[in-house]
Amino acid sequence: MTIGFSIRTRSRKVAAALVERFAKLPVANISDSMSRMSAAGPRLRPYHAQGTVLAGPALTVRTRPGDNLLVHKAIDMAEAGDVIVVDAGGDLTNSIMGEIMVYLAQEKGVAGFVIDGAIRDADEIRESGIGMFAAGVTHRGPYKDGPGEINAPVSIDAMVIHPGDLIVGDCDGLVCVPLDAAAAILDAAEAKQRAEVTEIAAIRDGNVDRSWVDKLLETRGVAYID
C-alpha cells in the first residue's frame, strides 16, 4: 500500500437534495445542531463575493505545503457540485492556487474550494463567483511535484473531513456534516432555524420573556453589589 502518494476513488457522497436544503440554513445553526463540536476554525475565511453560500460534497486532497499537483488532478476528477477541500498544512509561504485553476474548476461545475493554505489572485477569485475559503493570500506561486493524496480523510483544525461528507460555508465560516449523520443533523438544524425565526418575530413584536437571564444568574450564584 502506497503511503502519502495515492489517488482513491470516492465511493459515495451526500445526496444533492440534502445539499440543497442545507444551503438554505445558516452555518451557525448547523454547528449548534452538532453540539458546537465541529468547526474549521477562524483562520479559514471567505475570499468570494459577499452573500455566497458554499455547499456540496467534499472531494478531499492532502498535499505538502506549497504544492498543488494533486489539486490539479482533483479538478480533473471533480464532479459538478463538488467542494474541493485541500489540507495543505495551513502554510502560507506559497499559494496553492489562483485564478487559472478557478476557471478550470468552473468549467467542471465545481461549487468551490476550501484551502487550508494560501491562494493568490484574490480579486479575480472574488469576481469569478466561485466559493472560496482559504487561510490567507500570498503572491508566491506553488510547486508541482507531489506527493499528496486524493479522497483520503483530511483534518482542518481538528475538523475531520471524509470524501463525500457535506461542506457548508457562509460568512460565519465552515462546517463539515458527516455523511452518515447528515439527515438527522438536517432535521435538527431546520427545527432550530424555525425556532429562531419565531424568536426573532417575538422580539420585533416586543413580546419576549427575558426572565431566564435572572433565573440563570441566580442558579449560578451571582452577587449584586451596590
Side-chain angles (χ1 to χ4, degrees), residues 8-16 18-19 56-60 77 79-83 150-153 160-167 176-183:
R8 297 171 172 85
T9 300
R10 184 178 58 184
S11 59
R12 59 190 191 134
K13 64 179 182 178
V14 65
L18 288 180
V19 175
L59 175 59
T60 60
M77 294 173 58
E79 300 173 352
D82 279 349
V83 176
I150 295 177
N151 285 327
V160 177
I161 303 164
H162 291 86
D165 283 349
L166 174 63
I167 300 295
C176 173
V177 179
L179 175 57
D180 290 333

Side-chain angles (χ1 to χ4, degrees), residues 46-53 126 171:
Y47 286 91
H48 47 239
Q50 185 175 359
T52 299
V53 175
R126 186 173 289 107
C171 60

Side-chain angles (χ1 to χ4, degrees), residues 1 7 21 26 31 61 139 143-145 182-184 203 220 225:
M1 179 178 179
I7 297 173
R21 288 170 65 184
S31 177
V61 181
H139 56 79
Y143 300 98
K144 294 175 174 62
D145 302 310
I203 291 170
R220 293 289 192 268
I225 302 172

Side-chain angles (χ1 to χ4, degrees), residues 7-225:
I7 297 173
R8 297 171 172 85
T9 300
R10 184 178 58 184
S11 59
R12 59 190 191 134
K13 64 179 182 178
V14 65
L18 288 180
V19 175
E20 184 177 357
R21 288 170 65 184
F22 268 105
K24 298 175 183 177
L25 297 171
V27 165
N29 286 352
I30 300 170
S31 177
D32 283 355
S33 300
M34 298 171 65
S35 299
R36 301 166 183 160
M37 291 293 290
S38 180
R43 292 184 306 104
L44 271 63
R45 303 310 305 157
Y47 286 91
H48 47 239
Q50 185 175 359
T52 299
V53 175
L54 178 61
L59 175 59
T60 60
V61 181
R62 180 185 294 115
T63 185
R64 71 183 180 91
D67 193 289
N68 73 1
L69 177 60
L70 272 292
V71 184
H72 275 279
K73 180 60 178 177
I75 292 173
D76 291 343
M77 294 173 58
E79 300 173 352
D82 279 349
V83 176
I84 297 177
V85 180
V86 183
D87 174 5
D91 184 80
L92 303 180
T93 306
N94 295 80
S95 61
I96 293 297
M97 62 179 297
E99 62 175 325
I100 291 177
M101 294 176 73
V102 161
Y103 300 148
L104 289 169
Q106 285 184 311
E107 290 300 309
K108 299 293 296 289
V110 170
F113 292 85
V114 176
I115 309 293
D116 191 13
I119 59 170
R120 64 178 179 178
D121 304 324
D123 283 345
E124 290 80 4
I125 288 174
R126 186 173 289 107
E127 292 170 3
S128 74
I130 203 166
M132 175 67 72
F133 283 82
V137 176
T138 180
H139 56 79
R140 294 178 63 177
Y143 300 98
K144 294 175 174 62
D145 302 310
E149 295 179 295
I150 295 177
N151 285 327
V154 299
S155 176
I156 299 176
D157 285 351
M159 183 172 73
V160 177
I161 303 164
H162 291 86
D165 283 349
L166 174 63
I167 300 295
V168 187
D170 63 17
C171 60
D172 284 335
L174 291 159
V175 68
C176 173
V177 179
L179 175 57
D180 290 333
I185 293 170
L186 176 62
D187 288 342
E190 287 182 333
K192 182 169 181 58
Q193 176 69 2
R194 290 192 296 269
E196 193 170 275
V197 169
T198 299
E199 183 178 2
I200 291 172
I203 291 170
R204 289 176 173 167
D205 290 341
N207 184 27
V208 61
D209 181 5
R210 299 286 293 167
S211 63
W212 68 268
V213 177
D214 288 333
K215 291 177 181 177
L216 186 56
L217 286 169
E218 183 179 357
T219 65
R220 293 289 192 268
V222 67
Y224 290 92
I225 302 172

